[in-house]
Amino acid sequence: MTLTDPVAVMLTRLRNANSAHHESVTLPSSKLKTHIAEILTQEGYIASWEVTDARVGQNLTLTLKYGPNRERSIAGIKRVSKPGLRVYARSTELPTVLGGLGVAILSTSSGLLTDRQAEQKGVGGEVLAYVW
């Protein structure tokens, strides 16, 4: 089965697992998904991630992160740029999520970056998702 938007599927699985208080979520792996998982780990939204071999291809397992009383570390995830409507941001007009409390994930010429990293480097690109 081919997927039209594998990033949206990843974010939806992550959102569903987070709202159901699962410990981890497993999905098919790709370079883009591992880079998104790396950003989510750096920003403190997930505990860890790992790539394992599957019967066909590889699987990406994301270990979710919760507070001491099972508070969710991810309050929300939104896919911004979709295959039917791409959303781009210039380096001077980068989006801020919840006044800087959240993070925007951008695909730039320098790789996948957060909105803060893109602002430091002075690059713009495609806005993939918002996480808060």
Side-chain angles (χ1 to χ4, degrees), residues 6-60:
V7 174
V9 172
M10 173 192 181
L11 296 177
T12 301
R13 285 188 185 191
L14 184 59
R15 184 184 313 114
N16 291 342
N18 188 45
S19 65
H21 289 285
H22 288 286
E23 293 298 321
S24 64
V25 60
T26 303
L27 49 127
S29 180
S30 72
K31 280 169 116 179
L32 181 61
K33 291 178 192 176
T34 55
H35 288 300
I36 291 173
E38 191 174 317
I39 287 177
L40 292 175
T41 305
Q42 288 172 357
E43 293 295 321
Y45 289 109
I46 61 174
S48 64
W49 61 273
E50 68 174 353
V51 177
T52 56
D53 288 330
R55 279 184 28 215
V56 177
Q58 293 180 324
N59 283 338
L60 175 66

Side-chain angles (χ1 to χ4, degrees), residues 58-118:
Q58 293 180 324
N59 283 338
L60 175 66
T61 304
L62 305 173
T63 306
L64 302 179
K65 184 177 176 182
Y66 298 101
N69 296 327
R70 294 296 281 177
E71 302 100 2
R72 296 177 181 97
S73 61
I74 299 174
I77 299 177
K78 181 182 178 192
R79 176 78 158 120
V80 179
S81 184
K82 301 172 179 147
L85 178 64
R86 300 289 184 185
V87 177
Y88 296 95
R90 292 183 176 162
S91 61
T92 57
E93 300 167 359
L94 292 172
T96 57
V97 181
L98 290 180
L101 296 177
V103 65
I105 300 173
L106 291 103
S107 175
T108 68
S109 57
S110 302
L112 250 58
L113 301 173
T114 64
D115 52 345
R116 291 182 211 95
Q117 293 169 338

